[in-house]
Amino acid sequence: APAADFETSADLPFHASGRFQNPRLMGRCGPDGVQAISSQEFFERIRDLSLGLGAFGVEAGDRVAIVSESRPEWLMADLAVLCGGAVTVPVYPTLSSPQVRYILNDAGAKAAIVSTRLQLDKIQEVRHKLPALEAVILIDGWQSSDSPSIISFEAVGERGHARLTGEWGAGREFRDRARAVRPDQMASIIYTSGTTGEPKGVMLSHANLVSNVKAGAQVLQLTEQDVA
């Protein structure tokens, strides 16, 4: 097996697309069966989202919350944020509006990516108590009547792709920002369940996450034939 040549989570999209070309890297289950997502499409979605987030003002070190069930967009969003040097704050989608407010406020989230209008409503209910939150990005259910601070997930990707095709050096910017991420840099803040008081944010570095990826790969013996 080839040696693992990545040191940060921001290296992973480049590693996967360059090393393991797979027409069925990932599958989305639906009423008509499983829709395949190739490694190339996966990389391009991450790149476009990362450039789009940058266009909407997300910078290195900023906190971006993800309030969503498990789905391909969760992983795309996570890696897009990390490739830009920002920090992801995953939030359980079953939490109540006050619990979500506490985590987003404590983390100082600048943006939140949410799966559905149900999750959007939780944030909108307490948004006046989240002074740092500038935008909410909605994966499913965006409406043209929504306020300008609610952006569709698709629009973020389209904005990033427009930068790629219209701005000289945008693709290099994406690569350079990802390469600038250091192993000791904070990647994610994961909050405890709060059973002994308010939840506490556990700060995890890229090195923390990558060590788990490498150890898991050794045990599971994954290959380019495997599908998520």
Side-chain angles (χ1 to χ4, degrees):
D5 57 353
F6 53 90
E7 298 301 326
T8 71
S9 303
D11 292 332
L12 287 172
F14 301 91
H15 177 76
S17 65
R19 264 301 189 38
F20 305 106
Q21 288 296 321
N22 188 343
R24 296 180 63 250
L25 175 73
M26 187 175 298
R28 180 197 305 282
C29 298
D32 299 321
V34 178
Q35 174 193 359
I37 299 171
S38 70
S39 53
Q40 186 61 32
E41 179 186 354
F42 185 61
F43 175 83
E44 290 172 355
R45 291 285 300 276
I46 292 167
R47 177 201 60 203
D48 291 354
L49 284 167
S50 189
L51 288 171
L53 287 168
F56 282 107
V58 175
E59 301 176 348
D62 286 340
R63 276 68 160 160
V64 179
I66 303 177
V67 192
S68 172
E69 302 76 16
S70 179
R71 55 188 296 167
E73 289 86 356
W74 198 107
L75 189 53
M76 293 171 186
D78 183 53
L79 289 171
V81 170
L82 296 175
C83 282
V87 178
T88 55
V89 184
V91 180
Y92 287 114
T94 54
L95 293 184
S96 67
S97 185
Q99 290 171 316
V100 172
R101 182 209 63 80
Y102 177 85
I103 291 173
L104 266 59
N105 186 64
D106 188 71
K110 186 174 187 177
I113 299 171
V114 302
S115 56
T116 64
R117 296 198 72 87
L118 173 64
Q119 305 302 336
L120 171 65
D121 290 344
K122 289 182 186 178
I123 292 177
Q124 293 298 91
E125 184 180 328
V126 294
R127 190 141 183 202
H128 61 289
K129 297 181 180 179
L130 296 169
L133 189 67
E134 296 180 5
V136 180
I137 298 164
L138 178 60
I139 296 174
D140 287 337
W142 181 84
Q143 300 170 1
S144 58
S145 58
D146 285 331
S147 75
S149 64
I150 300 172
I151 307 162
S152 76
F153 191 78
E154 183 178 358
V156 175
E158 289 174 350
R159 179 74 172 271
H161 192 73
R163 290 189 62 198
L164 185 72
T165 57
E167 293 180 20
W168 185 87
R172 177 173 292 182
E173 176 190 325
F174 167 65
R175 184 178 294 272
D176 289 348
R177 289 183 71 179
R179 285 178 172 172
V181 174
R182 305 181 313 275
D184 63 350
Q185 193 170 319
M186 185 163 61
S188 188
I189 306 175
I190 298 180
Y191 279 78
T192 62
S193 62
T195 53
T196 55
E198 296 290 2
K200 298 169 183 64
V202 180
M203 297 180 290
L204 299 176
S205 70
H206 282 265
N208 291 149
L209 301 180
V210 165
S211 67
N212 276 350
V213 173
K214 291 182 176 180
Q218 289 178 351
V219 173
L220 296 174
Q221 296 297 304
L222 298 172
T223 74
E224 62 269 27
Q225 306 302 319
D226 291 313
V227 179

